[in-house]
Amino acid sequence: QVQLVESGGGLVQPGESLRLSCVASRSDISNYSMGWYRQAPGKQRDVVATITSGGKTIYPDSVKGRFTISRDNAKNTVYLQMNSLKPEDTAVYSCKARSRITGTDYWGQGTQVTVSS
């Protein structure tokens, strides 16, 4: 089992930046692929960024060039740096961990990001 706690969400204006953090409850987070997902009201949950245990990252076109996912295994933490935020980025952002051993997914509770002027 791994528990994930996101933080760093808030209200920002278009063009500003925000950095989200996801802290895992266990010390072997290096054995997990990590990802950030977002869900706006009435919409499906979409992937924002993923990073494998080896550090390979994948981004959808909607955030490519603006968002950066990174991980600090020593701190059991994954980050999402969000730059040049747009109103359409408004959503609840959730962290996911996938065990490379079992394939089991674990989800955080989410943190609200609102981009508005």
Side-chain angles (χ1 to χ4, degrees):
Q1 293 284 345
V2 55
Q3 292 176 284
L4 306 171
V5 179
E6 303 98 331
S7 63
L11 173 63
V12 297
Q13 298 183 39
E16 295 185 338
S17 298
L18 210 56
R19 188 196 195 204
L20 307 183
S21 298
C22 172
V23 180
S25 63
R26 53 190 299 157
S27 60
D28 62 343
I29 200 65
S30 62
N31 291 324
Y32 294 80
S33 295
M34 306 295 294
W36 285 96
Y37 298 75
R38 66 186 181 188
Q39 186 171 28
K43 304 294 182 63
Q44 67 177 2
R45 183 165 57 193
D46 295 325
V47 64
V48 174
T50 60
I51 183 168
T52 69
S53 60
K56 181 181 179 180
T57 59
I58 300 176
Y59 306 91
D61 290 341
S62 58
V63 307
K64 191 173 298 181
R66 299 188 298 120
F67 291 9
T68 302
I69 188 172
S70 61
R71 62 193 301 160
D72 187 338
N73 292 335
K75 296 181 179 179
N76 303 319
T77 302
V78 62
Y79 305 96
L80 183 67
Q81 178 67 44
M82 303 183 293
N83 298 328
S84 302
L85 282 163
K86 306 174 181 179
E88 52 262 45
D89 295 321
T90 296
V92 174
Y93 285 71
S94 300
C95 177
K96 185 185 78 174
R98 172 173 289 179
S99 172
R100 61 185 289 268
I101 306 301
T102 67
T104 302
D105 287 346
Y106 303 90
W107 290 89
Q109 83 291 337
T111 184
Q112 177 71 46
V113 172
T114 302
V115 185
S116 176
S117 59

